[in-house]
Amino acid sequence: MLEIQRIRTDKESIIEGLKKRNIDVTPIVDNILEKDSRWRSAKGELENCSAELNRIAKQVGELFQQGKQEEANQAKAQTAVLKENESAYKEQVKQLEDEINQLMYQLPNVPNEQVKAGKNELDNETVEEVGSKTTFSGKALPHWEITQKYDLIDFELGVKVTGAGFPIYKGKGAKLQRALIAFFLDEAHKAGYEEFIPPLVVNEASGFGTGQLPDKEGQMYYVNEDDLYLIPTAEVPLTNIYRDVLLPNEDFSIKMTGYTPCFRREAGSYGKDVRGLNRLHQFDKVEIVRIEHPDNSARALDEMVNHVKGLLAKLGLHYRILRLCGGDTGFASAMTYDFEVFSAAQEKWLEVSSVSRFDTFQANRLKLRFKTADKKTALCHTLNGSALALPRIVAALLENNQTEDGIKIPEVLHKYTGFEMIS
RNA sequence: GGAGAGUUGGCAGAGUGGUCGAUUGCGGCAGUCUUGAAAACUGUUGAACCGAAGGGUUCCGGGGGUUCGAAUCCCUCACUCUCCGCCA
């Protein structure tokens, strides 16, 4: 969430910036400022009461020790009214804090200056396109037919065991999956990211830290019995490793990677988009996460984008990079690049990665800070990106690389798969 | 799942109703000494919020209560450890 300090001092730029998301937050911001000013005055009163009570308590103690019972009891009598006032102010302060927080949760991150205004995905800018469409002599099969033809993934069986959106990978399909995960992790390792295997379920505080809660809880699977959530992305456990952390100096650059399955309820998505591997309730992903000094986050974002470009190039996929417009940029993000691969048989672009910088938005919730050279504390910047999400990569690989003899496996994967062709 | 013990500052570890944001040790930082370093000695060393400032408030796992006053007493929740049971 945004810093209240920033709203106090920089209201106009927040309102202006958020217009790029096609929303006008003026009423919310004004409401916050009004409540904030009442909060401060109530807080002041409360602290005065506390200070006075502290003073009396101290006095009473001294009087008792001097054996002045009478005077001590007199002093005690003074506290009744003060205590009443104190609890009234306390109530007020708490109430206002709750209301302010409710409002703060409604404010998304302010888009970076490079982000263009826009309403939805139609306004996104294509910043780069690499490769070209595969051409086929005959008719190209969509991946859900290929997976059936070569017995790579069984969607029906997944329905039987669990439900729609939980495919079962088999044989070379499973091996390909494992190969991609190993490849992505090795590449991340080479790029300096430390590998983690985090928990796949997280507590409420973690969901809150990265911004999934309180608003988007409907998107996560929830384990009622233990009050835990299945992770929608490795971003949640990885970033939360650094919740409530105060880094001792300015000299840090934390680079983490991890493979995890991701669980998403995807309530309300139906139809053509969910066919085959296009949208699943459980899928595999390798994530990269960075925690950076504010001065470094722009460079870090570039590095992450380049990393993902490298992966797609090595896989020989036709892809493009979009810089999301304000309206399509995620709630917590200041700037997001989406990577899409072209799926030749479906003839459409499939999102396979989303690389974002959050600036202090997550760090503020996480209480992730560092000590500056002059011994002040300041919020870190967080970034993350998929590198990469598997299902649509698999879809594109199968569709784009189909030949009459079978599916060609990209060379970089050979050492992981142990086969060069699926036939 | 059953029984018991615990949760205090970066770490270790005192503190069982008042002057305790908290003894002490280690670590960190600064200084003295030294060509330099080590050792020794001296000093210093948590965070959040409000305030222009002086200053004030809050924080001893979380929440609530008793009291003029709580790290200390009570209730409750979470977590950790030990033993037993179960188990990959």
Side-chain angles (χ1 to χ4, degrees), chain A residues 16-281:
Chain A
E16 269 317 296
L18 285 176
K19 282 184 181 159
K20 291 201 280 189
R21 287 186 183 267
N22 210 38
I23 52 172
D24 180 12
V25 296
T26 312
I28 298 176
V29 167
D30 286 341
N31 199 352
I32 288 171
L33 287 175
E34 187 269 329
K35 288 194 157 74
D36 180 57
S37 111
R38 274 162 56 204
W39 174 81
R40 275 188 285 178
S41 98
K43 178 99 168 167
E45 296 293 343
L46 170 63
E47 287 180 1
N48 287 341
C49 287
S50 305
E52 185 62 11
L53 282 165
N54 286 344
R55 198 187 58 77
I56 293 173
K58 204 167 193 173
Q59 198 186 11
V60 171
E62 282 164 6
L63 289 171
F64 269 130
Q65 270 170 4
Q66 292 162 15
K68 300 177 181 168
Q69 292 287 339
E70 198 61 26
E71 292 172 53
N73 285 328
Q74 268 172 27
K76 268 162 89 165
Q78 295 171 29
T79 61
V81 177
L82 276 169
K83 284 179 86 170
E84 237 167 74
N85 288 345
E86 187 194 37
S87 65
Y89 283 124
K90 204 181 250 174
E91 185 67 24
Q92 218 178 101
V93 166
K94 193 178 180 304
Q95 172 84 23
L96 283 165
E97 276 171 359
D98 288 348
E99 289 174 16
I100 290 167
N101 279 336
Q102 267 331 102
L103 292 165
M104 293 292 289
Y105 296 152
Q106 292 174 34
L107 294 179
N109 204 350
V110 178
N112 184 275
E113 56 181 14
Q114 291 178 64
V115 174
K116 295 273 189 295
K119 225 173 186 169
N120 53 40
E121 67 273 9
L122 299 174
D123 297 322
N124 294 338
E125 311 165 72
T126 302
V127 295
E128 197 174 344
E129 180 169 341
V130 177
S132 54
K133 296 184 185 178
T134 316
T135 47
F136 302 99
S137 47
K139 188 177 176 297
L141 298 176
H143 69 267
W144 51 85
E145 289 182 24
I146 297 172
T147 53
Q148 191 165 29
K149 180 174 173 186
Y150 297 105
D151 200 20
L152 302 174
I153 301 175
D154 197 326
F155 293 96
E156 311 301 315
L157 205 49
V159 171
K160 172 186 171 185
V161 173
T162 304
F166 294 90
I168 292 179
Y169 302 81
K170 302 167 66 177
K172 284 187 173 173
K175 195 79 185 283
L176 175 61
Q177 198 76 4
R178 192 148 57 84
L180 283 164
I181 292 165
F183 170 63
F184 292 149
L185 285 172
D186 284 352
E187 291 293 308
H189 175 74
K190 278 189 223 162
Y193 293 87
E194 187 183 6
E195 183 178 346
F196 289 78
I197 301 180
L200 306 181
V201 287
V202 294
N203 57 30
E204 187 179 353
S206 292
F208 180 80
T210 30
Q212 279 70 28
L213 298 174
D215 280 347
K216 291 174 242 168
E217 51 195 318
Q219 292 174 25
M220 288 190 287
Y221 287 96
Y222 176 58
V223 185
N224 187 55
E225 192 74 14
D226 300 289
D227 199 17
L228 296 170
Y229 296 86
L230 271 64
I231 59 169
T233 158
E235 165 199 348
V236 179
L238 289 181
T239 311
N240 273 284
I241 289 171
Y242 283 88
R243 171 155 47 83
D244 288 320
V245 166
L246 179 54
L247 298 165
N249 55 52
E250 305 200 33
D251 183 25
F252 63 91
S253 174
I254 293 156
K255 300 167 76 176
M256 299 180 278
T257 187
Y259 150 70
T260 68
C262 302
F263 303 92
R264 298 188 182 178
R265 295 188 60 229
E266 302 289 359
S269 23
Y270 304 99
K272 219 164 134 214
D273 281 352
V274 307
R275 193 88 195 263
L277 293 168
N278 290 354
R279 173 163 277 129
L280 301 172
H281 288 305

Side-chain angles (χ1 to χ4, degrees), chain A residues 373-384:
Chain A
D374 54 344
K375 303 288 180 200
K376 299 255 195 300
T377 54
L379 292 168
C380 301
H381 279 197
T382 60
L383 304 92
N384 65 54

